[in-house]
Amino acid sequence: MAASKKIIAEVEQLRNEINQHNYRYHTQDDPVISDAEFDRLFRDLKSLEAKYPELISDVSPTQRVGAAPLSAFSQVVHEAPMLSLDNAFVEADVLEFDHRIRSRLQSDEEVAYACEPKIDGVAVSLLYEDGKLVRGATRGDGTTGEDITRNVRTIESIPLQLLGKGYPSRLEVRGEVYFPISAFTKMNQRAQSRGDKEFANPRNAAAGTLRQLDSRLTAQRKLAMFCYSVGLVEGGELAEKHSEILQELAIWGLRVNPLVETVLGAAQCVQYYKGICERRESLTYEIDGVVFKVDDIGLQQKLGILTRTPRWAIAHKFPAEEGITRLNDVEFQVGRTGAITPVARLAPVKVGGVTISNATLHNMDEIDRLGLMIGDTVIVQRAGDVIPKIVSVVLEKRPSKTTNIELPQTCPACGSEILRSEGEVAARCTGGLSCAAQQRESIRHFASRLALDIEGLGDKLVEQLVDEGLIDNAADLYQLTEAQLVKLERMAPKSANNLLEALENSKETTLPRFIYALGIQEVGESTARSLAMHFGDVAGLLEADEALLQTIPDVGPIVANKIHHFFQQESNLAVIDSLIGFGLRWKVEDTGIIANSLAGETWVLTGSLNSLTRNEAKARLQKLGAKVSGSVSRKTTCVVAGDAAGSKLVKAQELGLKIIGEDELITLLEEYGA
Ligand code: JCF
């Protein structure tokens, strides 16, 4: 039986009512009806939808239960990069932050800051199109994340349909998904009673839950979200203050932390921090500090963005938590470039809810500085995600029998001599790529997330493959066969095939990732990107001498020397040749954002262009990190005026914005390599 107009209206009405109550309950924490009444509305809607399945829509509140498992998440390239935050640890860092901002802005006046608790969860991006939730993604490396739409749809504080009207037609909202403490504790108690593995803390639990391929499992665990900013905005405008944007988000049904406040000047930021410290224990979620943001979006744009962190925001982190324990032993690990790192083996101790049994000691100088001996009682510190460290020795508790810590003379992995060159802190194994530990670490680096991102090739597996003698270098990965893999312990045919498929997929990469993956000493992600932009291919890079290398941004004499040295080694060239031989290739185009040269800027294209299309111009600007908007406002950084530009040009002139022509645009795009 087809649904009558009356039924359609009834379904519509029920959905609106349920959405409103859902919002009152999950977002505002202020329900107006009882749970039983809510359940009744929900049941009514479900039974109508069962009777008239053609009325079921993606945004119906009944559609949050999860769906059949995916085999993998697909990747999402963020249209505007997802940034991270610079950290402040002490009051002086906050004062300095404010000082930097005021001197950059040349302002004598106090700056208004929006302050909020910093949620210890997982950063997530939500994309709404015409008010409908169409995509949820993880932050990933900030440029590329994973598509977790099915999982975010199960989170009740995330609206499937925005409320009210006036929202931009495309709106990307960002925030933090977290595990409420009470739900976390209950889940771990249940896991414990069943003998299942427990999660270390709510953040890990939230991350694990969001990465479930089976969204029905995600639906069972009650995650929540607070929104803290917007990314992409198209087809509409938002307010000009960060705090006002948050209010707009709240009106549209998105959940915003009620403790957000705007203050004037650094002293009030510090006050805010102290106030939140006092409330920390009483919150229903974990936080690891507070965030201060310049409230005025126009000022944010003036201040701009460094590679990954905005200049206009800072996280004031709570002090690390400390514990006291005994140093049982020190072992020496060999890194990717042969650097020998001493690692402390500790008597297990609980710090901030997490058991610690290892800590990094960085290098021999650090051991000297601490005056550390085996058998000592030590203070260990853990801050959020970072590796725990030893901060001091409790000398009063030093036992009569302690042992000196000495740098071994030979590499614990390959037996080659260990050398400590003049002027270098690190001692190094001289075994080079014949050292199994260096092989293992360089292959791990090659497969890691910011490099070739080979799914399923974890640390353990690399170790197994190297130990079994199946691979010596990254190129060998591409010769592995199913027959070899299934012989490994704990490797089912299905996982073997998944790995081979992941390897095949990894062959299509980008030049910056490839250069980074080579693991050249001193060449991090951002230097790799500069090298890729400068050379456009590996051929020129291989031949570059130190003088040429030094003309590239970020490359000084030391880095130039390391790069040059790397490409002088026959063994490295052989690996690169094999990789190319196995079909590794990189797209120069289509790599998403290739540089953050225009990050934080908003551009508007108007009028008609002659030598390139609007879409092409837009894509090239976006590759440089710019946002391209359809409308001119005070927030616009620059307007490109083509032929017969009309009202937008007039408005730009009225507002005194920067206006350039097509030729200037092309010069700029070429200059930045887009
Ligand atoms: O609550 C957070 N963990 C949080 C993270 C809050 C923010 O306002 C953030 C953030 C990461 C980056 N803002 C940025 C720009």
Side-chain angles (χ1 to χ4, degrees), residues 39 83 111 228 527 565:
D39 287 346
L83 304 170
V111 176
Y228 58 64
T527 308
H565 180 77

Side-chain angles (χ1 to χ4, degrees), residues 83-85 116-121 176 228-229 288 291 293 310 312-313:
L83 304 170
S84 43
L85 294 166
E116 66 193 38
K118 183 167 186 295
I119 313 298
D120 204 2
E176 203 81 0
Y228 58 64
S229 70
D288 58 349
V291 182
K293 292 180 177 169
W312 40 262

Side-chain angles (χ1 to χ4, degrees), residues 329-335 339-345 361 363-364 367 374 405-408 410-413 418 427:
D329 198 6
V330 171
E331 284 173 17
F332 291 86
Q333 286 180 349
V334 189
I340 305 286
T341 308
V343 178
R345 304 290 178 213
L361 286 164
N363 51 51
M364 294 309 288
I367 292 175
I374 291 168
I405 302 163
E406 290 191 45
L407 181 69
T410 57
C411 171
I418 288 180

Side-chain angles (χ1 to χ4, degrees), residues 114-118 257-263 266-279 289-292 316:
C115 312
E116 66 193 38
K118 183 167 186 295
N257 193 302
L259 301 176
V260 173
E261 259 177 51
T262 32
V263 305
Q268 289 186 8
C269 287
V270 171
Q271 272 318 107
Y272 180 84
Y273 171 82
K274 289 183 179 156
I276 295 292
C277 279
E278 281 170 20
R279 302 183 68 152
V290 300
V291 182
F292 306 127
H316 189 179

Side-chain angles (χ1 to χ4, degrees), residues 503-622:
L503 280 163
E504 197 51 44
N505 291 338
S506 73
K507 288 181 181 172
E508 193 152 316
T509 185
T510 66
L511 188 56
R513 279 180 181 268
F514 179 71
I515 295 173
Y516 173 71
L518 293 175
I520 307 166
Q521 245 186 79
E522 303 288 336
V523 177
E525 202 199 337
S526 126
T527 308
R529 197 164 269 175
S530 305
L531 292 171
M533 287 218 288
H534 185 270
F535 291 102
D537 207 337
V538 268
L541 175 59
L542 291 185
E543 267 145 40
D545 60 22
E546 293 182 38
L548 172 58
L549 288 165
Q550 283 189 52
T551 63
I552 297 164
D554 294 351
V555 180
I558 296 176
V559 183
N561 176 268
K562 300 279 188 203
I563 298 171
H564 184 66
H565 180 77
F566 183 91
F567 292 115
Q568 292 297 107
Q569 309 305 304
E570 281 304 326
S571 52
N572 291 333
L573 299 179
V575 170
I576 294 172
D577 270 349
S578 314
L579 285 169
I580 295 172
F582 287 128
L584 219 89
R585 56 198 177 272
W586 38 85
K587 291 179 279 187
V588 179
E589 289 301 312
D590 225 28
T591 52
I593 290 164
I594 58 170
N596 277 327
S597 329
L598 305 183
E601 300 193 354
T602 305
W603 285 60
V604 175
L605 300 165
T606 179
S608 50
L609 303 174
N610 295 312
S611 55
L612 71 180
T613 67
R614 233 345 140 90
N615 274 339
E616 206 180 319
K618 180 172 170 183
R620 288 169 72 180
L621 284 166
Q622 283 171 339

Side-chain angles (χ1 to χ4, degrees), residues 60-316:
S60 173
T62 58
Q63 304 300 302
R64 286 185 181 275
V65 286
L70 297 166
S71 58
F73 296 113
S74 50
Q75 295 214 319
V76 169
V77 175
H78 297 296
E79 290 182 57
M82 282 184 82
L83 304 170
S84 43
L85 294 166
D86 193 13
N87 289 325
F89 292 99
V90 290
E91 201 174 308
D93 296 341
V94 178
L95 302 183
E96 214 173 279
F97 163 73
D98 175 60
H99 189 79
R100 273 199 306 273
I101 286 183
R102 285 169 50 167
S103 58
R104 271 196 106 84
L105 295 175
Q106 296 179 338
S107 156
D108 299 326
E109 282 169 47
E110 296 276 28
V111 176
Y113 293 102
C115 312
E116 66 193 38
K118 183 167 186 295
I119 313 298
D120 204 2
V122 180
V124 161
S125 144
L126 305 174
L127 182 62
Y128 286 91
E129 286 180 352
D130 297 322
K132 291 187 176 40
L133 176 65
V134 295
R135 194 190 71 198
T138 59
R139 176 176 180 283
D141 62 8
T143 311
T144 314
E146 284 178 320
D147 187 326
I148 52 163
T149 309
R150 288 177 177 214
N151 290 347
V152 299
R153 285 179 56 89
T154 69
I155 300 174
E156 281 152 329
S157 48
I158 297 179
L160 299 177
Q161 162 76 55
L162 296 180
L163 302 177
K165 41 185 186 287
Y167 38 76
S169 57
R170 290 187 86 214
L171 174 65
E172 185 204 351
V173 181
R174 291 163 180 188
E176 203 81 0
V177 168
Y178 67 92
F179 221 119
I181 296 173
S182 59
F184 170 77
T185 316
K186 270 191 218 133
M187 175 180 66
N188 260 2
Q189 278 165 353
R190 236 177 294 136
Q192 194 185 28
S193 65
R194 282 203 228 110
D196 290 348
K197 201 175 149 268
E198 289 171 63
F199 282 105
N201 54 48
R203 193 205 32 246
N204 288 357
T209 304
L210 278 181
R211 295 201 79 254
Q212 280 292 337
L213 288 165
D214 188 343
S215 51
R216 292 170 300 196
L217 266 169
T218 311
Q220 284 167 21
R221 305 201 187 143
K222 297 295 167 197
L223 295 173
M225 179 171 186
F226 280 124
C227 298
Y228 58 64
S229 70
V230 294
L232 183 81
V233 181
E234 281 175 6
E237 292 211 9
L238 299 181
E240 294 177 5
K241 297 255 161 59
H242 176 72
S243 53
E244 292 167 2
I245 293 176
L246 294 182
Q247 285 169 16
E248 291 180 319
L249 297 183
I251 289 170
W252 297 326
L254 292 152
R255 187 151 169 269
V256 173
N257 193 302
L259 301 176
V260 173
E261 259 177 51
T262 32
V263 305
L264 209 54
Q268 289 186 8
C269 287
V270 171
Q271 272 318 107
Y272 180 84
Y273 171 82
K274 289 183 179 156
I276 295 292
C277 279
E278 281 170 20
R279 302 183 68 152
R280 185 178 181 189
E281 293 304 318
S282 66
L283 299 176
T284 56
Y285 45 87
E286 287 204 341
I287 60 176
D288 58 349
V290 300
V291 182
F292 306 127
K293 292 180 177 169
V294 171
D295 197 32
D296 187 307
I297 305 287
L299 294 185
Q300 286 187 2
Q301 282 170 353
K302 270 195 193 154
L303 289 160
I305 288 167
L306 296 160
T307 315
R308 301 175 150 277
T309 57
R311 282 206 190 84
W312 40 262
I314 199 160
H316 189 179

